[in-house]
Amino acid sequence: MTIKLHNTATRRKEDFVPLDKDDVRMYVCGPTVYDRAHLGNARPVIVFDTLYRLLRHTYGEDHVTYVRNFTDVDDKINARAAESGRSIGEITAETTQWYLDDMAAVGALQPSIKGTDHERAMPRATQWIAPMIAMIEDLIAKGHAYEAEGHALFAVESYKNYGALSGRSVDDMIAGARVEVAPYKRNPMDFVLWKPSTDDQPGWDSPWGRGRPGWHIECSAMAYELLGAQFDIHGGGNDLQFPHHENEIAQSKCAGHRFANYWLHNEMLQVEGKKMSKSLGNFFTVRDLLDQGVPGEVIRFVMLGTHYRKPMDWTDAKRQEAEKTLRKWYGQVGDVNIGGVPSAVIAAVSDDLNTSGAIAELHKLSSSGDVAGLKAGMGFLGFLDMQTRLDAAGDDVDLSAYVEHFDAIRAEAMETKDFGPLDALKKQLTDAGVEVKMSKEGVSLTPAVGFDAEKLQGLL
């Protein structure tokens, strides 16, 4: 079955033809490890994990290499160390493990080189400083970069196709982007490849003095070392198109590398129709949701319910519907032997990662009673890989007595206008994992994620 992918570089959907079907290679930009991953950080992980699963299914687990880096040298990390008094190494080690744990909780497979080498497939920038220095030296020797006041900078004007990925001219970028104005730059758009470090900052010896790499050079150097001068797919969020991916392309192409053939970018995430931000009070991490009792499979289901090239809106209604659907499906598949992945599910994902279409196919399998196919399809989309499971047993709980009790307390509250007892009862039910829905017709009580029957004792 032909895989079709929307290539950002050409702005059209194309048949995916790997350079070598025995060694399909993909690079995805990973996190800067200084804090917990927020919900938006999980979207590219889940998107490209789905593509990784598709490639493994199509070409074989041992014939796919997926590299995703960790940026563990960055000014945000330095600032966090200064604020906390902890060492940079301690912070990056802890936050890297947080990231791995949280992404595993949403069903993401660990990147690997041909299905086996996970550690090398998740390179830390600090482990690849020498190749970065070598690449910068090569760019300077070729006239594409220059040294100035302890910095090494890429000369944007030396690459005539700069801006092709994002579709912007250099003049437009200068006008619309926040660029660092510095006297040592020949052009405001020139970007840092290497910068000097103070005594209290991490640094390495280089031809330009003790310093540390800029953000963009690390991905180019690590991709070259691990995937070669040309590879198949480069992915990330669309917020990385400019400047990060634009700069990666410029420095890699000028170093003589053909770099990536296909570029994929996922759209951003919203919460209840608004951009997620701390100022709006709708900012939360993956761990926040997990600690609140939202299972990783629910997060994954909501994410995959929207096509990756469309903005994804996280809503409580979607979360509840995902919980209900997955509880039903887990109850259906139980100990059933897994079947072959239905062709309709594969076809949907092969069509530019149409995961919402694939989920629609799972609904059909559920309705038709094809539980073996349903289980295989769920496994293909990653819903069988998480340690948590929605408890289908709660569906058999009789809550009718609690409904009657709730209705009585509600009627009394409507008459006395004292809603304190009603609110208290609702909170007790919610704390027990019961979903409470009120309407003009009455109340509906449904066992939800984290349902604990013992917590209902004493409520009647």
Side-chain angles (χ1 to χ4, degrees):
M1 188 173 294
T2 301
I3 296 174
K4 294 181 178 292
L5 300 173
H6 185 274
N7 190 346
T8 307
T10 60
R11 293 165 178 75
R12 64 174 183 266
K13 190 189 295 187
E14 301 176 347
D15 289 352
F16 174 67
V17 181
L19 292 163
D20 179 357
K21 63 182 178 61
D22 291 327
D23 186 17
V24 182
R25 287 159 286 163
M26 176 170 69
Y27 187 97
V28 175
C29 291
T32 299
V33 283
Y34 67 99
D35 207 343
R36 287 282 187 186
H38 62 70
L39 187 60
N41 297 143
R43 192 177 194 198
V45 174
I46 293 172
V47 165
F48 291 103
D49 177 71
T50 305
L51 177 55
Y52 181 40
R53 290 170 183 272
L54 174 64
L55 294 174
R56 283 159 56 105
H57 178 86
T58 304
Y59 298 100
E61 294 182 10
D62 296 337
H63 300 294
V64 179
T65 289
Y66 171 23
V67 173
R68 186 186 65 215
N69 72 296
F70 285 104
T71 296
D72 60 351
V73 53
D74 184 87
D75 289 343
K76 291 179 180 177
I77 301 172
N78 300 341
R80 183 56 55 88
E83 292 170 5
S84 65
R86 302 172 68 196
S87 71
I88 288 173
E90 184 181 2
I91 290 172
T92 58
E94 178 182 62
T95 51
T96 295
Q97 192 58 52
W98 283 352
Y99 184 86
L100 292 173
D101 292 344
D102 291 348
M103 296 308 108
V106 297
L109 300 172
Q110 286 195 350
S112 67
I113 294 177
K114 292 193 173 183
T116 56
D117 192 342
H118 298 292
E119 187 64 28
R120 191 171 171 82
M122 296 186 287
R124 279 67 166 166
T126 53
Q127 299 171 349
W128 298 85
I129 300 296
M132 296 179 205
I133 292 174
M135 191 171 187
I136 296 169
E137 288 182 300
D138 182 56
L139 288 170
I140 291 175
K142 291 176 177 176
H144 294 292
Y146 57 95
E147 179 186 0
E149 298 183 19
H151 294 75
L153 299 120
F154 184 86
V156 167
E157 291 180 339
S158 73
Y159 180 57
K160 64 179 181 179
N161 291 325
Y162 190 79
L165 181 71
S166 56
R168 290 181 273 185
S169 69
V170 173
D171 290 340
D172 289 340
M173 293 181 201
I174 293 175
R178 295 178 181 177
V179 295
E180 181 187 1
V181 178
Y184 49 78
K185 285 187 176 183
R186 296 176 184 172
N187 182 309
M189 291 301 298
D190 291 351
F191 56 88
V192 173
L193 301 172
W194 189 266
K195 54 188 173 183
S197 294
T198 59
D199 291 341
D200 61 342
Q201 293 174 326
W204 293 262
D205 291 333
S206 79
W208 319 285
R210 181 178 179 276
R212 59 198 191 279
W215 175 32
H216 314 297
I217 192 66
E218 65 181 65
C219 287
S220 285
M222 290 187 289
Y224 173 65
E225 293 294 323
L226 294 169
L227 301 177
Q230 186 178 14
F231 54 95
D232 298 299
I233 299 168
H234 195 311
N238 68 354
D239 58 322
L240 298 181
Q241 277 190 51
F242 178 81
H244 187 49
H245 289 167
E246 202 75 74
N247 292 352
E248 280 187 65
I249 291 172
Q251 61 202 10
S252 292
K253 291 290 184 73
C254 289
H257 309 160
R258 297 190 67 179
F259 213 42
N261 284 355
Y262 301 84
W263 286 84
L264 272 70
H265 293 92
N266 64 273
E267 256 288 358
M268 295 295 97
L269 175 137
Q270 299 174 329
V271 176
E272 301 290 350
K274 297 179 180 179
K275 181 179 179 181
M276 187 170 69
S277 70
K278 292 181 179 178
S279 62
L280 293 176
N282 64 352
F283 179 95
F284 45 89
T285 67
V286 174
R287 180 52 51 181
D288 288 336
L289 286 178
L290 295 171
D291 288 346
Q292 290 166 17
V294 181
E297 52 261 57
V298 169
I299 298 173
R300 187 179 185 92
F301 189 100
V302 175
M303 292 277 188
L304 295 182
T306 300
H307 192 274
Y308 78 97
R309 289 196 296 111
K310 294 181 179 179
M312 209 293 293
D313 191 15
W314 175 273
T315 68
D316 195 57
K318 288 181 180 178
R319 176 193 62 78
Q320 292 181 30
E321 186 61 30
E323 291 175 3
K324 181 179 178 181
T325 298
L326 285 170
R327 189 185 301 112
K328 175 185 175 182
W329 289 354
Y330 285 131
Q332 285 182 287
V333 299
D335 296 325
V336 173
N337 291 329
I338 198 165
V341 182
S343 59
V345 176
I346 298 172
V349 181
S350 296
D351 185 13
D352 194 30
L353 305 184
N354 182 10
T355 51
S356 59
I359 288 175
E361 294 299 331
L362 295 187
H363 278 291
K364 293 179 183 177
L365 293 165
S366 171
S367 298
S368 68
D370 183 357
V371 291
L374 173 62
K375 190 169 188 177
M378 291 175 69
F380 179 66
L381 290 179
F383 294 122
L384 301 181
D385 290 349
M386 287 148 283
Q387 294 180 352
T388 56
R389 284 287 181 271
L390 291 171
D391 186 4
D395 293 339
D396 298 327
V397 175
D398 183 5
L399 296 177
S400 57
Y402 296 92
V403 171
E404 292 177 9
H405 180 58
F406 194 99
D407 282 337
I409 297 296
R410 185 185 188 191
E412 184 177 347
M414 295 296 290
E415 184 175 339
T416 63
K417 305 304 179 185
D418 179 7
F419 291 90
L422 181 66
D423 291 339
L425 177 59
K426 182 179 179 181
K427 184 180 186 304
Q428 289 173 307
L429 289 167
T430 302
D431 289 345
V434 177
E435 182 181 309
V436 180
K437 291 184 179 180
M438 290 184 287
S439 66
K440 292 181 180 180
E441 289 72 31
V443 65
S444 170
L445 303 181
T446 307
V449 178
F451 174 71
D452 186 348
E454 292 185 1
K455 292 183 178 181
L456 294 177
Q457 293 180 7
L459 295 188
L460 295 179

